[in-house]
Amino acid sequence: MTSRRIISSEKTILDKDDEDLQPSSSGAGGGQSSTAPAVPMDVIIKLLAFTFAMVVIPIGSYFLTVNTIFSGNSTYAGALAAILANVVLVGYVVVAMNEDQSDQLEAEKKQKQKERQGKAE
């Protein structure tokens, strides 16, 4: 079994990784580091709102309807709570899909504007 010796002038994979992580002052290779959050704040707010709705709406509907509408029949109240939980879930999926489509449309608009500016010059 043979092994390869690393020559001191060669860079190892680990050295190359360290070099990629360090910010460069010349601006070549690395670029600017971003301190912006990975997820926009409006997405986090929507997620928290739907999480709150997923907890409150089914449980609240169960306790509000078990004695008032369904006269103590917990099966019907539980079924209504399950249906409302699914309604909240479908609502979240619809909002997420619409947000994703709006992001794609916005990116296409920016691309078209860049193309127009390129043609104008």
Side-chain angles (χ1 to χ4, degrees):
M1 193 166 164
T2 62
S3 63
R4 182 173 183 253
R5 285 191 280 161
I6 297 175
I7 302 171
S8 62
S9 64
E10 288 183 3
K11 290 188 177 185
T12 64
I13 292 174
L14 296 175
D15 291 335
K16 289 179 184 177
D17 285 343
D18 289 341
E19 191 176 90
D20 290 340
L21 292 176
Q22 295 175 354
S24 62
S25 59
S26 64
Q32 298 282 338
S33 67
S34 174
T35 58
V39 180
M41 185 58 87
D42 60 329
V43 174
I44 294 172
I45 291 171
K46 286 177 191 173
L47 180 63
L48 290 175
F50 276 100
T51 301
F52 181 75
M54 191 62 143
V55 172
V56 172
I57 290 175
I59 294 172
S61 69
Y62 174 81
F63 285 111
L64 286 174
T65 61
V66 72
N67 290 322
T68 57
I69 296 176
F70 299 119
S71 303
N73 191 344
S74 62
T75 303
Y76 291 146
L80 178 66
I83 290 168
L84 290 178
N86 284 309
V87 168
V88 171
L89 183 64
V90 168
Y92 178 72
V93 170
V94 168
V95 167
M97 288 178 64
N98 285 338
E99 181 179 329
D100 189 36
Q101 289 175 353
S102 66
D103 289 345
Q104 289 175 353
L105 292 174
E106 188 176 313
E108 288 176 5
K109 260 187 196 176
K110 287 182 181 178
Q111 182 66 26
K112 287 180 183 179
Q113 287 177 352
K114 286 182 182 179
E115 288 174 1
R116 288 181 196 154
Q117 289 175 353
K119 289 180 182 178
E121 293 176 359

